[in-house]
Amino acid sequence: MAEVPVDAVGKRVSCGGERATVRYFGPVPPTAGLWLGVEWDSPDRGKHDGSHEGVQYFTCRHPTGGSFVRPAKVSFGVDYLTAVRQAYKIDSEEVLSEEISISRKKLKWGNIKERGFESLPSVLLSRSDVSGSGADGQIRTTTPSILLQTVLDALLALRTCELHKAYNRLRLPPDPSALRHAFSALRVLVLNGCQLTWPQILECAPMWPQLEDLCVEENNITELQRLEQLNLSKTGLSVIQFEDAAPGNDTVSSLTASVVLLCLDWFVVNELAKLPSLVRLSCRGNKLVSGDGNPKTANQMLIAKLEQLVVLNGCEIHADDRRGAELDYIKMFGEEWLKAGGRSQPSPQFVCEHPRYQALISKYGAPEEGELKKPEPFALKNQLLKITFVFPDDANRKPLEKKLPASMVVQKVKGLLYRLLKVPAADLRLTYTSPKVMVGTEFEIDSDLKTLQFYSIEDGDQVLVRWS
């Protein structure tokens, strides 16, 4: 039987290429011998919830997240320094024993010296099953120049400004504030896929006194407190709801400053209107549509619905922009407002869908019937986008200007580029920049099945084309 640590419960293990956490160690009658009860990172790998024949040996977050495995089949990992040696140590005798021939002429090796780890500026230990820091003080003396390591205990030897710890499972320290000195220079922290809850993140926050950017995608976050900026890109989130506030009223939520959303509908927009301190919103690439199908109209509606907004998709909202958007919004939904009994008391459904409409009526007055707008289909000719294709990795190739429909899928764009460049579409990688939003920032175009309109590509934008 493989050696099992005395404190096995809570340890991380790997088995057959999958990661798990030990939740139980002991017998499982009527079978003979000892078993490890593990909770898999991927619940699809498991078979049960930690029970066997009516006996609950351990619990899992998912009803099929658990399994019993023999200790001999798992690895408890290695310490940090062992992982570094396995990844970076060069056996000079083995190298010298190799023969290299060029044009039938054998080459001789010169003086080969084994490289020490003292000068390594960084190490990459992905999938190395690092389970601990090793002996006290050894990290500082063996790899003193390392900027990034992979075990929380090892971080006491660091003074790094950026740390990526994605897809690890971290045991929280008993006194986070005692580790402030170890992270005094930390500015950027990535903890994606670490199965952390928001209270756990807040508990650790005293460790990071200078932290500016925290990324916690794919965690067990179900509540948000004491938050200043929120990035929900690529989360699949479809609903945000503040149940403490009725339509048109403010919530007591502490969310302030900035929200980034890539999955958005008008119900979510109405909920965001309850955040009195929300001044920035980024929702490029969302599926918001207006009655006429024009993405610019959808932006006008966003401005009208969100009174507190100052910046939309990186562009400042000026007073004239807001006034125009709000007046157009009144005209756009005026007929619907009248049918809902607007001159006396609008129906609850209308108020729910347009919570700010009555406030706009008080601000500008009710619309006259001659002013009411009926949404008309957005003509195809108005959806043609003038796009400039540039090739940053090919200095000899001149920029190419094309007019393309906003409804064109990326796959067809790549087909067009294939005909022009003779480069297979599968090898093409596209990004785009906009002169109107965060100048110089490249936005990924990462799905061949999405349209140009989905990515909020507008007339005059620039698409950067690279290939492998």
Side-chain angles (χ1 to χ4, degrees):
M1 184 180 73
E3 184 177 351
V4 178
V6 177
D7 56 344
V9 175
K11 293 284 188 183
R12 298 282 293 161
V13 294
S14 64
C15 177
E18 298 282 348
R19 305 297 176 86
T21 302
V22 177
R23 301 299 184 197
Y24 171 79
F25 176 53
V28 183
T31 61
L34 299 175
W35 294 84
L36 290 171
V38 301
E39 181 180 5
W40 300 101
D41 290 2
S42 174
D44 295 337
R45 175 67 173 78
K47 297 179 179 179
H48 51 70
D49 62 352
S51 62
H52 179 68
E53 294 190 354
V55 179
Q56 191 78 44
Y57 291 90
F58 62 96
T59 59
C60 298
R61 287 184 295 269
H62 194 279
T64 61
S67 295
F68 290 104
V69 296
R70 292 294 189 183
K73 292 188 175 182
V74 308
S75 167
F76 280 88
V78 297
D79 63 50
Y80 163 77
L81 291 178
T82 299
V84 171
R85 293 189 183 98
Q86 291 174 347
Y88 292 92
K89 186 174 178 60
I90 298 176
D91 188 333
S92 58
E93 292 184 4
E94 183 179 344
V95 172
L96 290 171
S97 67
E98 296 179 359
E99 291 186 355
I100 298 179
S101 298
I102 298 179
S103 300
R104 299 182 179 178
K105 183 178 180 180
K106 291 185 177 180
L107 301 182
K108 292 184 178 181
W109 289 99
N111 293 328
I112 296 179
K113 296 182 180 180
E114 291 191 15
R115 180 185 180 186
F117 302 132
E118 295 81 3
S119 58
L120 283 175
S122 64
V123 294
L124 179 62
L125 299 178
S126 299
R127 313 298 297 182
S128 295
D129 292 346
V130 179
S131 61
S133 57
D136 291 344
Q138 288 297 304
I139 292 177
R140 193 184 301 275
T141 57
T142 308
T143 56
S145 301
I146 292 298
L147 295 178
L148 184 63
Q149 300 167 3
T150 50
V151 182
L152 185 59
D153 295 339
L155 297 175
L156 293 174
L158 301 182
R159 297 195 68 81
T160 178
C161 64
E162 183 168 344
L163 176 62
H164 292 248
K165 290 278 296 164
Y167 305 102
N168 279 279
R169 297 294 182 272
L170 308 177
R171 187 176 298 177
L172 303 185
D175 184 9
S177 60
L179 301 178
R180 289 172 58 91
H181 68 284
F183 300 98
S184 59
L186 188 64
R187 295 291 189 276
V188 179
L189 178 60
V190 179
L191 294 173
N192 296 343
C194 292
Q195 297 293 310
L196 295 171
T197 64
W198 189 247
Q200 287 176 324
I201 293 171
L202 292 182
E203 181 182 342
C204 292
M207 284 193 293
W208 315 314
Q210 302 299 324
L211 194 65
E212 297 174 358
D213 192 345
L214 173 64
C215 190
V216 287
E217 298 176 11
E218 300 180 46
N219 279 281
N220 292 332
I221 297 175
T222 58
E223 61 177 337
L224 297 171
Q225 303 165 349
R226 292 161 47 193
L227 190 65
E228 292 186 358
Q229 296 192 39
L230 174 63
N231 187 326
L232 298 175
S233 302
K234 299 182 181 179
T235 61
L237 186 67
S238 60
V239 174
I240 293 178
Q241 191 165 3
F242 302 103
E243 295 181 348
D244 65 318
N249 295 318
D250 295 340
T251 179
V252 295
S253 169
S254 60
L255 177 62
T256 63
S258 174
V259 173
V260 182
L261 288 167
L262 281 185
C263 186
L264 192 61
D265 62 22
W266 291 114
F267 173 82
V268 173
V269 173
N270 291 338
E271 290 298 302
L272 292 178
K274 298 176 182 179
L275 296 168
S277 300
L278 176 62
V279 295
R280 290 175 176 267
L281 175 65
S282 177
C283 54
R284 299 178 69 86
N286 67 77
K287 299 178 181 179
L288 288 175
V289 292
S290 58
D292 61 2
N294 187 343
K296 293 184 177 180
T297 304
N299 283 345
Q300 293 284 87
M301 291 173 61
L302 277 168
I303 294 171
K305 281 177 171 286
L306 301 174
E307 178 185 14
Q308 72 279 40
L309 212 57
V310 175
V311 177
L312 175 61
N313 291 331
C315 296
E316 184 178 354
I317 302 170
H318 298 287
D320 290 344
D321 298 330
R322 173 163 294 286
R323 176 181 172 83
E326 292 175 344
L327 287 171
D328 281 348
Y329 184 80
I330 290 176
K331 297 172 185 178
M332 196 180 309
F333 295 98
E335 186 174 353
E336 187 177 335
W337 174 73
L338 289 171
K339 290 180 179 179
R343 295 199 182 279
S344 54
Q345 181 65 41
S347 68
Q349 181 179 349
F350 182 88
V351 173
C352 186
E353 293 177 359
H354 305 279
R356 195 167 173 248
Y357 199 88
Q358 285 299 113
L360 293 177
I361 293 296
S362 299
K363 183 176 181 179
Y364 297 106
E368 301 295 333
E369 290 196 24
E371 297 178 318
L372 302 182
K373 282 188 176 182
K374 293 185 178 180
E376 299 177 357
F378 191 44
L380 177 62
K381 64 179 182 179
N382 293 331
Q383 294 191 57
L384 289 178
L385 308 175
K386 184 172 69 175
I387 297 174
T388 303
F389 293 94
V390 296
F391 313 92
D393 297 336
D394 188 349
N396 296 323
R397 192 176 295 275
K398 295 181 180 179
L400 182 66
E401 190 175 285
K402 289 284 183 181
K403 285 190 175 183
L404 303 175
S407 58
M408 192 174 193
V409 297
V410 174
Q411 189 175 45
K412 290 187 176 181
V413 176
K414 287 186 175 181
L416 171 66
L417 291 170
Y418 165 70
R419 293 192 292 274
L420 295 170
L421 305 174
K422 306 305 179 187
V423 175
D427 295 337
L428 295 173
R429 185 172 71 85
L430 308 182
T431 60
Y432 77 95
T433 62
S434 173
K436 304 174 184 176
V437 182
M438 299 173 66
V439 177
T441 300
E442 292 188 33
F443 299 95
E444 290 286 341
I445 303 175
D446 54 7
S447 174
D448 288 354
L449 302 180
K450 302 295 187 183
T451 64
L452 297 176
Q453 180 176 320
F454 174 84
Y455 287 102
S456 297
I457 296 176
E458 298 181 355
D459 194 67
D461 285 354
Q462 190 176 73
V463 173
L464 292 80
V465 184
R466 298 180 175 89
W467 56 88
S468 54

